């Protein structure tokens, strides 16, 4: 007997079930957590990459400074703004023809030791302008482009004896005849040595296009790091005490940005007494290259404010100083605006409020940690 197959009907398909509200919330939460982790990781990787680029750039500059010293037998001099000219430009708030912030080499600008030290204290023994001027031969060193019909920042042979990249011997005053003092004699033949050996350029301008900016107040170029923050060159800072009998090793008048955050924090915790064992770089280095690094503060319009440590903490002073600064495209912030920075004429002593775990203390340490230093 042939078996008979029972007819079967397929079971009805189960209706597709959608996400519940709780499941959707869980999925969205997981995605948010993953996105947060990825963003944080990306931020850390980007910051590490930028800091590595800053360290390599500063090292390249440092090696160029050493090459300059081998050729010329001295380190590149500081080019610093003249106090009166800088004050005029800050008051006006903008560069105008004939109102450039003139710069010069301190040794050639001041005849008495007291005036020289005052100028160096104001400049914190550093300059944003020396590097491009002496290592590449770029910028309007003698301030001859102060007329409207000339190109700001143009470098001709009246500036450093050689048109374009490279320099001639800066001469006995190390500033091609006095730098800004040559404005009145810019049409006088021989204001800069134009014969003999050519030095540099010690850095290739073509490879540094993203690291060079024109300072419109001076007609000089300056270097910026991977964050777009200024790079400064320091030399000749005080390493001895200024009071008492025989001068002793001291960091009292050393620009604080040349010191490590660990050394400064140790001084704060010790009630103001520095640990000189932690300051070996300050005592042994003939020069330093320091870039501001990752910005720690911003203007309301999003413009980064570069800080090299030791900025004044008084809110009224900071607000008043910022009010004088136009952060437009033609007025970049410059550490020459010393209204934001303590000068080095008095010894640095940690303010009392820094001894505890205060916001001011951490702000100062964060500034120093963000700075990138090359110490030869």
């Amino acid at each position: 007997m042939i078996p008979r197959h029972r007819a079967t009907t397929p079971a009805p398909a189960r209706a597709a079930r959608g996400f519940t509200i709780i499941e959707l919330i869980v999925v969205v939460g997981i995605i948010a957590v993953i996105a947060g982790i990825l963003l944080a990781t990306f931020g850390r990787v980007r910051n590490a990459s930028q800091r590595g680029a800053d360290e390599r750039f500063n090292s390249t500059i440092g090696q160029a400074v050493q090459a300059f010293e081998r050729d010329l037998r001295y380190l590149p001099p500081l080019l610093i703004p003249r106090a009166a000219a800088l004050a005029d430009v800050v008051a006006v708030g903008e560069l105008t023809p004939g109102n450039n912030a003139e710069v010069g080499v301190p040794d050639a600008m001041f005849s008495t030791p007291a005036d020289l030290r005052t100028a160096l204290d104001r400049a914190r023994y550093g300059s944003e302008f020396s590097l491009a001027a002496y290592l590449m031969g770029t910028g309007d060193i003698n301030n001859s482009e102060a007329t409207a019909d000339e190109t700001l920042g143009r470098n001709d042979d009246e500036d450093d004896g050689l048109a374009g990249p490279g320099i001639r011997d800066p001469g006995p005053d190390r500033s091609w005849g006095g730098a800004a003092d040559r404005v009145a004699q810019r049409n006088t033949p021989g204001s800069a040595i134009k014969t003999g050996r050519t030095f540099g350029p010690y850095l290739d301008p073509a490879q540094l296009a993203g690291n060079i900016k024109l300072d419109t107040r001076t007609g000089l170029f300056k270097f910026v790091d991977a964050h777009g923050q200024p790079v400064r060159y320091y030399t000749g800072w005080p390493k001895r005490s200024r009071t008492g009998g025989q001068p002793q090793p001291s960091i009292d008048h050393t620009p604080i940005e040349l010191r490590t955050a660990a050394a400064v924090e140790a001084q704060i915790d010790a009630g103001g007494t520095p640990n000189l064992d932690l300051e070996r770089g300050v005592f042994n280095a003939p020069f330093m290259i320091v870039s501001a690094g990752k910005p720690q503060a911003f203007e309301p319009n999003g413009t980064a404010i570069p800080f090299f440590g030791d900025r004044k903490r008084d809110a009224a002073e900071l607000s008043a100083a910022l009010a004088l600064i136009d952060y437009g495209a033609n007025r970049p912030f410059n550490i020459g605006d010393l209204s934001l920075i303590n000068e080095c004429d008095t010894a640095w002593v940690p303010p009392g409020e820094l001894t505890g775990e205060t916001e001011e203390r951490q702000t100062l340490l964060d500034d120093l940690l963000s700075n990138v230093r090359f110490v030869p």
Side-chain angles (χ1 to χ4, degrees):
M1 182 175 176
I2 300 174
R4 296 170 63 183
H5 295 282
R6 182 181 297 174
T8 59
T9 58
R14 297 176 62 184
R17 187 173 66 88
F19 283 111
T20 67
I21 294 296
I22 294 177
E23 289 172 332
L24 186 61
I25 292 174
V26 170
V27 171
V28 171
I30 292 173
I31 293 174
V33 169
I34 294 174
I37 293 174
L38 291 176
L39 287 174
T41 302
F42 175 75
R44 286 194 296 270
V45 170
R46 182 183 61 183
N47 290 336
S49 175
Q50 289 177 320
R51 188 172 183 88
D54 292 343
E55 291 173 347
R56 291 189 295 273
F57 183 46
N58 288 2
S59 177
T60 298
I61 296 174
Q63 294 171 27
V65 170
Q66 291 170 322
F68 178 99
E69 184 183 24
R70 286 194 295 269
D71 283 344
L72 278 300
R73 300 294 186 268
Y74 55 83
L75 290 168
L78 297 175
L79 279 175
I80 65 174
R82 294 170 178 272
L86 180 63
D88 291 341
V89 174
V90 170
V92 172
E94 191 62 70
L95 176 79
T96 58
N99 192 38
N100 297 54
E102 299 176 2
V103 299
V105 172
D107 291 338
M109 289 163 52
F110 302 98
S111 58
T112 67
D115 290 341
L116 174 60
R117 193 175 81 176
T118 297
L120 292 172
D121 280 343
R122 283 181 54 88
R124 298 182 67 79
Y125 299 86
S127 173
E128 292 179 3
F129 308 120
S130 294
L131 296 172
Y134 283 91
L135 299 183
M136 295 197 308
T138 58
D140 179 21
I141 298 167
N142 71 345
N143 200 28
S144 64
E145 315 302 335
T147 59
D149 60 342
E150 294 182 291
T151 302
L152 189 67
R154 187 187 72 189
N155 174 251
D156 56 29
D157 59 0
E158 296 294 332
D159 293 300
D160 55 26
L162 187 69
I167 63 174
R168 300 285 189 189
D169 186 347
D173 66 359
R174 303 183 182 184
S175 63
W176 297 282
D181 285 332
R182 291 185 290 115
V183 176
Q185 43 181 298
R186 61 190 239 204
N187 295 320
T188 302
S191 59
I193 299 173
K194 302 175 186 178
T195 60
R197 178 180 172 182
T198 297
F199 297 95
Y202 297 93
L203 296 167
D204 184 359
Q207 295 182 0
L208 300 178
N211 295 102
I212 301 178
K213 286 188 176 181
L214 175 66
D215 184 282
T216 56
R217 294 175 302 168
T218 60
L220 289 168
F221 289 89
K222 60 182 179 180
F223 290 140
V224 295
D225 61 20
H227 295 88
Q229 298 279 73
V231 177
R232 283 178 64 82
Y233 162 73
Y234 293 81
T235 189
W237 58 87
K239 301 176 183 180
R240 296 277 178 178
S241 60
R242 292 180 176 177
T243 58
Q246 187 69 22
Q248 299 296 319
S250 169
I251 49 84
D252 286 350
H253 300 274
T254 297
I256 200 169
E257 58 268 31
L258 303 186
R259 304 170 58 193
T260 65
V264 172
E265 188 169 29
Q267 181 177 0
I268 294 172
D269 291 338
T273 302
N275 183 340
L276 298 187
D277 288 337
L278 299 177
E279 309 287 358
R280 293 178 182 176
V282 167
F283 289 117
N284 296 334
F287 69 91
M288 284 194 200
I289 308 296
V290 183
S291 60
K294 182 181 177 181
Q296 301 296 308
F298 298 86
E299 273 287 276
N301 64 3
T303 302
I305 302 175
F307 284 124
F308 290 81
D310 196 23
R311 67 175 182 267
K312 292 185 177 181
R313 295 301 193 272
D314 182 84
E317 288 182 336
L318 184 61
S319 176
L322 291 175
L324 292 174
I325 300 176
D326 171 13
Y327 285 96
N330 294 325
R331 186 67 164 76
F333 179 92
N334 185 290
I335 202 173
D337 294 322
L338 292 174
S339 52
L340 289 180
I341 305 295
N342 288 329
E343 300 176 17
C344 294
D345 56 341
T346 57
W348 187 81
V349 177
E353 62 267 21
L354 295 184
T355 56
E357 294 298 329
T358 64
E359 180 181 351
E360 290 80 5
R361 169 196 180 107
Q362 194 56 50
T363 299
L364 171 59
L365 296 179
D366 286 345
D367 288 346
L368 296 174
L369 288 169
S370 72
N371 294 165
V372 181
R373 303 167 186 79
F374 171 80
V375 185

